[in-house]
Amino acid sequence: MARWTSESWRKFSIRQVPRYDDEQLLLATEHELKKKPPLVFSGECDRLTKELAACVDGDAFLLQGGDCAESFLEFNADIIRDTYKVLLQMAVVLTYAASKPVVKIGRIAGQFAKPRSENFEEREGKKLPSYRGDMINAMDFTHAARSADPNRMIEAYNQSAAILNLLRAFSDGGFADLHKIHQWTLDFVNDSGKLSKFHETAEKIQECLSFMEACGLTGTTAQITKTNFYTSHESLLLWYEQALTRQDSISGDWYDCSAHFLWLGDRTRFLDSAHVEFLRGVKNPIGIKCGPDTDLWELIKIINLLNPDNIKGRISLIVRMGHNNIIERFPPILNGITEQGLNVVWSCDPMHGNTEKVNNFKTRRIDNIFSELQTFFEIHESEGSKPGGIHVEMTGKDVTECLGGSLEIKPCDLESRYHTHCDPRLNDAQALELAFMVADLFSSFSG
């Protein structure tokens, strides 16, 4: 195998990236990014790998969630806080139900680029490049907006830095303190009267904390007052990723310092892929999306390329089959990886395989999402393996993008608050329902 460098990916086949017309501007942007401070640090990435190693053995559970595609226009503290609140709510439900630590990773502070099924979009006879996320181009259907602009990478970096600063303050500054669990509830869901089950869980946790304090335990340990929270995004725009890759001064290992956790998409996961080559050399934990057309033996080769030492916590397989496909397509993948003795975290993404169009809106049905999750757990139970986590697209905003759930969102409701820039997301109430559904699955199966 050829020696890896941070730019060796440039010699490999690449898909799902834009064409930049101004190469000099692209080079100047890369040069500017290389001078920027890292967004995350090697020690944080190594700590996440260790936490994910516990998910491999069923001693912890991964919760990964956040926006489909972050937006420059929706950059404000309230949106960041509310998404963080939802993830805290989901995590505490899962921790309480499973009696095991929950590893919390946000699709945040970097999820500004998206793969697309078509390179171009056509409207009324006019054909323009597809919108690929705010890091690359804009949504407006004009030639100027849809042209790939390298300067957008600088804006993405600046917003990611500000978001990370706020997330670290939330995680370490008292916001995540379990004593404040009732303060995590979003007003629009609280007013709907749909959160009684969460409040019951919160009351039980408060009773436990009160009992500990009565026994002389103050409840001020870091495990109660703080939390580890990590960031992730798809490693798609490799010019950006390379520019933020740094060599650790002590170990000599390379890390992509744009996020703690990076994933390889279903459309960029192939042998001789530039994205595989890039991720091969960085020490961050890596996710691999596995759709219904995933070839087992190609997947095994890719895992061995990315994790030749079979280190636990290095690889998470994010299964996104769709509720109609998972029962047939997932068991061969699960059994094949298990027979090879490969250490992976098995995470279920019940969102991406269940997208459909209703009234000209892309949407997802809660029943189909729940069905795929339940089948995922049932297959693990029957095969004697461990479900390691979930990966969901959700938001703290009061949106109507996914059908069903306790809020009973109907097709006629979609247009009222459909705000996503790309794919439909769960709102707070739906995300909490999903967390309780997974909690029930832990009770039903040995997990």
Side-chain angles (χ1 to χ4, degrees):
M1 186 178 297
R3 175 176 171 270
W4 182 90
T5 69
S6 62
E7 61 180 21
S8 57
W9 62 269
R10 296 175 187 260
K11 300 177 183 178
F12 288 73
S13 301
I14 193 162
R15 300 175 187 169
Q16 293 293 333
V17 296
R19 183 176 67 85
Y20 289 102
D21 294 327
D22 191 335
E23 292 189 7
Q24 291 304 312
L25 181 57
L26 176 60
L27 286 171
T29 302
E30 290 183 80
H31 182 69
E32 184 174 349
L33 283 169
K34 287 177 181 178
K35 295 186 295 183
K36 299 282 188 182
L39 293 173
V40 304
F41 306 100
S42 60
E44 295 172 332
C45 297
D46 290 343
R47 183 179 67 198
L48 175 56
T49 298
K50 291 179 181 178
E51 292 183 19
L52 289 171
C55 299
V56 174
D57 297 322
D59 297 325
F61 194 76
L62 167 62
L63 169 62
Q64 188 172 5
D67 220 320
C68 164
E70 294 178 272
S71 164
F72 289 171
L73 294 177
E74 294 183 349
F75 173 59
N76 67 66
D78 289 346
I79 290 177
I80 299 165
R81 178 203 61 206
D82 289 347
T83 298
Y84 185 76
K85 278 184 178 182
V86 180
L87 287 165
L88 287 180
Q89 289 177 308
M90 296 175 73
V92 79
V93 167
L94 294 172
T95 302
Y96 189 81
S99 298
K100 62 181 68 174
V102 171
V103 182
K104 295 173 282 295
I105 305 179
R107 291 173 55 108
I108 196 168
Q111 182 57 11
F112 291 104
K114 292 288 292 182
R116 302 312 301 264
S117 55
E118 299 292 339
N119 290 327
F120 293 92
E121 180 182 355
E122 189 168 349
R123 298 183 191 175
E124 299 177 352
K126 186 177 181 180
K127 187 175 181 181
L128 292 174
S130 296
Y131 169 67
R132 290 185 173 274
D134 279 6
M135 185 188 282
I136 296 170
N137 56 9
M139 288 190 70
D140 293 342
F141 198 69
T142 66
H143 183 270
R146 292 298 177 91
S147 296
D149 180 2
N151 285 316
R152 287 178 164 270
M153 287 189 267
I154 304 298
E155 179 67 16
Y157 171 88
N158 290 336
Q159 286 203 12
S160 296
I163 292 169
L164 269 160
N165 182 59
L166 188 58
L167 290 172
R168 287 189 170 109
F170 285 152
S171 298
D172 295 336
F175 188 90
D177 191 333
L178 279 173
H179 293 90
K180 300 180 179 180
I181 188 171
H182 286 294
Q183 298 178 21
W184 301 344
T185 302
L186 295 175
D187 291 339
F188 82 86
V189 181
N190 196 40
D191 292 343
S192 72
K194 301 292 185 180
L195 274 184
S196 60
K197 197 171 182 180
F198 178 75
H199 287 307
E200 289 174 10
T201 301
E203 287 297 330
K204 292 175 183 176
I205 291 171
Q206 292 283 18
E207 290 172 4
C208 291
L209 292 174
S210 298
F211 175 77
M212 289 169 58
E213 291 170 359
C215 293
L217 302 174
T218 63
T220 58
T221 62
Q223 290 87 342
I224 293 174
T225 60
K226 301 180 180 181
T227 191
N228 292 333
F229 189 87
Y230 303 98
T231 62
S232 68
H233 61 256
E234 181 173 354
S235 177
L236 190 63
L237 197 60
L238 293 185
W239 294 277
Y240 179 81
E241 306 300 340
Q242 180 192 335
L244 289 172
T245 298
R246 306 285 188 268
Q247 187 173 26
D248 184 74
S249 59
I250 298 175
S251 67
D253 294 322
W254 290 85
Y255 294 82
D256 182 346
C257 295
S258 68
H260 302 102
F261 180 101
L262 304 161
W263 73 80
L264 180 67
D266 204 38
R267 297 183 178 98
T268 55
R269 186 205 64 243
F270 60 94
L271 292 173
D272 198 42
S273 160
H275 293 86
V276 172
E277 170 63 15
F278 173 77
L279 291 173
R280 176 173 74 88
V282 296
K283 208 181 174 187
N284 308 59
I286 296 168
I288 304 175
K289 287 289 189 88
C290 300
D293 297 325
T294 299
D295 180 87
L296 170 62
W297 297 110
E298 182 180 54
L299 178 62
I300 290 170
K301 290 176 183 177
I302 290 171
I303 293 172
N304 284 324
L305 279 172
L306 296 176
N307 192 24
D309 297 324
N310 203 21
I311 297 169
K312 287 186 178 180
R314 162 74 169 168
I315 300 294
S316 298
L317 296 185
I318 306 169
V319 179
R320 41 149 297 178
M321 300 287 178
H323 76 285
N324 287 326
N325 294 317
I326 187 170
I327 190 66
E328 177 184 351
R329 304 293 177 85
F330 179 45
I333 299 291
L334 173 62
N335 291 327
I337 297 298
T338 302
E339 288 170 4
Q340 292 291 314
L342 299 176
N343 291 314
V344 301
V345 177
W346 291 106
S347 179
C348 179
D349 171 0
M351 308 290 291
H352 283 88
N354 293 307
T355 305
E356 60 182 274
K357 269 205 169 182
V358 175
N359 295 346
N360 291 319
F361 289 95
K362 287 174 69 176
T363 188
R364 291 154 173 161
R365 299 179 188 272
I366 298 299
D367 287 347
N368 293 341
I369 291 169
F370 285 4
S371 174
E372 182 165 358
L373 260 174
Q374 180 168 345
T375 305
F376 179 80
F377 270 75
E378 289 172 349
I379 291 170
H380 278 287
E381 176 74 7
S382 66
E383 300 297 335
S385 56
K386 303 291 185 181
I390 55 173
H391 181 117
V392 295
E393 290 184 340
M394 37 70 64
T395 178
K397 293 177 64 179
D398 182 11
V399 299
T400 53
E401 297 171 2
C402 292
L403 296 172
S406 63
L407 298 179
E408 299 179 350
I409 295 174
K410 301 177 178 63
C412 61
D413 300 322
L414 290 174
E415 63 180 343
S416 63
R417 294 184 302 281
Y418 193 94
H419 299 153
T420 182
H421 281 217
C422 196
D423 290 336
R425 304 158 295 176
L426 304 175
N427 61 32
D428 178 69
Q430 293 169 331
L432 260 186
E433 285 180 78
L434 183 142
F436 277 112
M437 187 263 193
V438 174
D440 290 341
L441 290 173
F442 274 120
S443 300
S444 301
F445 302 116
S446 60

